[in-house]
Amino acid sequence: MKRNLVSVLLLGSMLACAVHVYAHHSFTATYFEDQKVKIEGKLITFQFRNPHSFVTVEAADDSGIIQRWGVEWGGAGQLGGQGITRESFKSGDHVIITGNPGRNPDDHRIRMVTIRRTSDGFGWGERPGQTFD
């Protein structure tokens, strides 16, 4: 009986891990990793969380029209190890972001490569090791 319970628990754990790994998406499927765009504008939100953090920025598109851009970033655990905390960026900060554009331009979506706050020059992504998968 004990052996069966251990076997069931082990199998359940393996399946749970497999589902988690399977659920992780490919950035290449969502973003053009061989292209970069740059936006500059006002930070609206900074969601510091796992598995990915997100920044929302109001910035002009190629036509000069202000859009809300969703910027995908690394998870809180990974970014924390690279010096970013939930207090690093605040609503209203003026930022410059470079990143890989989303495959659907109407989504105004970017995968973060660099971010810089213009008021004091604080940034991420310009030093070795400041990346995310």
Side-chain angles (χ1 to χ4, degrees):
M1 179 71 174
K2 218 177 202 183
R3 184 180 295 198
N4 287 341
L5 180 59
V6 170
S7 297
V8 168
L9 289 175
L10 182 62
L11 181 61
S13 297
M14 289 176 10
L15 286 173
C17 290
V19 168
H20 177 73
V21 170
Y22 177 75
H24 194 85
H25 63 89
S26 164
F27 287 118
T28 304
T30 309
Y31 302 98
F32 289 112
E33 291 187 315
D34 60 341
Q35 299 176 22
K36 283 197 181 155
V37 295
K38 178 177 165 182
I39 61 171
E40 182 172 351
K42 181 173 75 168
L43 188 136
I44 304 300
T45 62
F46 173 34
Q47 300 170 342
F48 188 68
R49 63 185 190 189
N50 286 315
H52 298 274
S53 297
F54 288 88
V55 174
T56 305
V57 175
E58 284 186 346
D61 63 13
D62 290 338
S63 304
I65 299 170
I66 298 296
Q67 303 287 348
R68 280 205 172 204
W69 296 82
V71 184
E72 188 170 1
W73 204 358
Q78 184 177 20
L79 293 175
Q82 298 174 12
I84 300 296
T85 70
R86 83 175 52 260
E87 305 300 321
S88 294
F89 293 94
K90 299 283 188 209
S91 179
D93 284 346
H94 187 266
V95 294
I96 300 171
I97 293 174
T98 62
N100 308 117
R103 292 192 173 272
N104 181 351
D106 294 336
D107 288 345
H108 299 99
R109 189 172 173 167
I110 298 173
R111 177 181 181 224
M112 182 82 73
V113 173
T114 67
I115 183 170
R116 176 156 304 283
R117 183 175 48 232
T118 60
S119 63
D120 62 1
F122 179 82
W124 175 92
E126 297 169 343
R127 292 191 311 249
Q130 291 182 325
T131 62
F132 78 94
D133 299 334

